[in-house]
Amino acid sequence: MADSNGVEGGMIYEAIWRNTNLLLVRGVGYGGGWEKRNNTENDLDIEQYLVELGISSSNIAKLKKGHPTLFQASLEQKVKPMVQFLQKFLGYNPTGPISNQHRKQISRIITNHPMLVHLDVETNLKPKCYFIKSFCGMDDHDIATIFSSSPGLLGLSLESNLRPTLQFLYDTLKPNAEQRNITKAITNKNEEENPIALLRKCVLKHPQILGLSLSNIRNKIEYFNEIDSIGSKDPVATKHKRKEGTLATRILLGAPSVYSLSLCNIAEKIEYLAAIWNCDVPYTVRSHLNDTHIMQDLLGNHDGTASLSDNIRTYPQILTLSMEGNIKVRNFMLVLLFEI
């Protein structure tokens, strides 16, 4: 079969290049042999089951086109067990009737992450959930919260992704917990924090952090550490603020979604804020801001007393705001207000 350029077999090559799962397909739309009857019946059974789950005909058509292997899976051994697993871990009764709200949630997961159907419940999905639950000191409700917001995490490898990432986050947060407990002991506060509690807080706030590569997280931590290394004109105040730990851990606990942003996105915001706060940055600041001096006066930091790290620690969530649609707009509005 030729493609649009007349190359014989080009359409087949192009289809496989776009979706390598086609190489795994066995009989979807196949029109010959005894397998036609068996495969067609299986297709219809799964399609009917997906309809019962509330998946629309248009989404079923998209699944057939983009993930045909879903319709080759065993309904009784793969699809139904996975749905029952999702029901249980999302806090529903796996044997009881599914409410419309729960049906919509499960159908959305299958539509967006159909490859989960091919994972074995007992040897793959359950071990991942139990590991995260025990490692992070979570309960069933916590697990349901994580996977309802980020079901794609179930498709990650336990040994290659989840375990090393959680271990790295734990090791990163451990010194922070120890420093916090020392501070509380000095101030006669009885409650103690442990790295597991901090890890739980981080993952619950932003489960998607588990989907980032270790090199991705490390690069951002190194960048934040570099910002930490830049001192301020008030070392006493800086020392007091940094008893809470590093800037990297402050962001992990206060605004972990920052780690899902690109490093270029983060650096652009930090350089812009550094110019406003009159702070040093790890590398050259973009100095094209005409209203910088006005913002410095408004913020009462025109002399750069506080370091860049100290300022970001105060409200790390500022790094999650969009540059053009939020940070610069607020900057502009304050400038207008000052001029009025």
Side-chain angles (χ1 to χ4, degrees):
M1 185 180 295
D3 62 10
S4 58
N5 296 320
V7 178
E8 192 66 30
M11 290 185 67
I12 296 176
Y13 297 141
E14 184 178 356
I16 293 175
W17 179 79
R18 289 181 177 179
N19 186 359
T20 55
N21 287 329
L22 291 175
L23 295 172
L24 304 176
V25 173
R26 181 171 58 84
V28 174
Y30 177 66
W34 63 271
E35 284 191 334
K36 175 182 177 181
R37 177 174 177 272
N38 293 338
N39 288 327
T40 301
E41 288 179 353
N42 190 66
D43 292 354
L44 292 175
D45 289 342
I46 291 181
E47 183 172 345
Q48 179 59 39
Y49 185 67
L50 296 180
V51 170
E52 293 174 0
L53 289 175
I55 299 179
S56 66
S57 57
S58 60
N59 281 331
I60 290 177
K62 291 178 182 178
L63 287 172
K64 284 185 175 181
K65 182 178 180 180
H67 300 275
T69 53
L70 169 63
F71 298 88
Q72 293 299 297
S74 168
L75 178 61
E76 298 299 329
Q77 297 180 12
K78 287 288 187 180
V79 182
K80 285 186 177 181
M82 194 275 290
V83 170
Q84 291 172 353
F85 168 81
L86 289 176
Q87 285 181 259
K88 178 181 178 181
F89 272 88
L90 293 177
Y92 318 146
N93 183 355
T95 59
I98 308 176
S99 67
N100 289 334
Q101 179 183 355
H102 299 162
R103 185 179 284 107
K104 287 180 181 179
Q105 190 172 20
I106 291 176
S107 65
R108 186 167 58 249
I109 291 174
I110 295 176
T111 301
N112 295 332
H113 306 279
M115 297 308 293
L116 292 179
V117 171
H118 298 286
L119 302 179
D120 187 82
V121 171
E122 297 298 327
T123 62
N124 193 306
L125 298 178
K126 283 186 178 180
K128 293 174 186 175
C129 290
Y130 291 140
F131 171 74
I132 295 176
K133 181 179 177 180
S134 60
F135 195 92
C136 300
M138 295 181 174
D139 56 25
D140 290 340
H141 181 266
D142 293 337
I143 293 295
T145 299
I146 289 175
F147 291 119
S148 61
S149 64
S150 304
L153 295 177
L154 287 169
L156 298 177
S157 165
L158 174 57
E159 298 303 327
S160 301
N161 300 107
L162 296 174
R163 190 187 298 275
T165 300
L166 283 171
Q167 185 63 57
F168 179 78
L169 291 174
Y170 174 90
D171 293 340
T172 301
L173 292 168
K174 186 177 180 180
N176 187 76
E178 292 172 349
Q179 183 61 56
R180 285 186 174 206
N181 289 330
I182 292 173
T183 303
K184 289 180 179 181
I186 295 174
T187 55
N188 295 321
K189 291 185 178 180
N190 295 325
E191 68 274 15
E192 286 193 1
E193 295 190 32
N194 61 75
I196 293 179
L198 298 182
L199 179 61
R200 174 181 176 273
K201 178 181 179 181
C202 171
V203 174
L204 282 176
K205 274 192 173 183
H206 188 62
Q208 294 85 349
I209 197 171
L210 298 181
L212 302 177
S213 67
L214 280 180
S215 60
N216 188 321
I217 299 174
R218 282 195 184 102
N219 288 340
K220 288 160 188 171
I221 288 180
E222 289 174 2
Y223 177 67
F224 296 139
N225 287 343
E226 197 171 352
I227 293 175
D228 257 341
S229 67
I230 301 174
S232 72
K233 296 178 182 179
D234 187 356
V236 175
T238 296
K239 183 178 180 181
H240 175 72
K241 286 187 177 182
R242 297 187 186 182
K243 287 180 179 180
E244 294 281 319
T246 64
L247 176 62
T249 56
R250 176 72 180 93
I251 295 174
L252 271 176
L253 296 174
S257 60
V258 171
Y259 281 84
S260 287
L261 302 175
S262 71
L263 191 54
C264 290
N265 183 295
I266 297 170
E268 182 184 15
K269 295 172 185 176
I270 285 179
E271 291 181 357
Y272 183 86
L273 294 170
I276 292 174
W277 293 327
N278 192 25
C279 297
D280 293 330
V281 291
Y283 45 84
T284 305
V285 178
R286 299 182 180 91
S287 56
H288 60 277
L289 308 174
N290 297 323
D291 55 352
T292 296
H293 65 285
I294 298 176
M295 285 299 295
Q296 289 168 354
D297 290 338
L298 288 173
L299 294 171
N301 187 36
H302 58 279
D303 61 351
T305 299
S307 71
L308 178 59
S309 175
D310 295 337
N311 282 322
I312 295 174
R313 287 163 185 272
T314 302
Y315 187 66
Q317 292 85 353
I318 195 172
L319 297 179
T320 65
L321 303 179
S322 67
M323 186 70 170
E324 299 298 331
N326 204 312
I327 296 177
K328 285 188 176 180
V329 171
R330 295 188 181 193
N331 181 356
F332 179 71
M333 293 302 291
L334 285 173
V335 170
L336 290 180
L337 180 63
F338 182 82
E339 291 179 343
I340 293 173

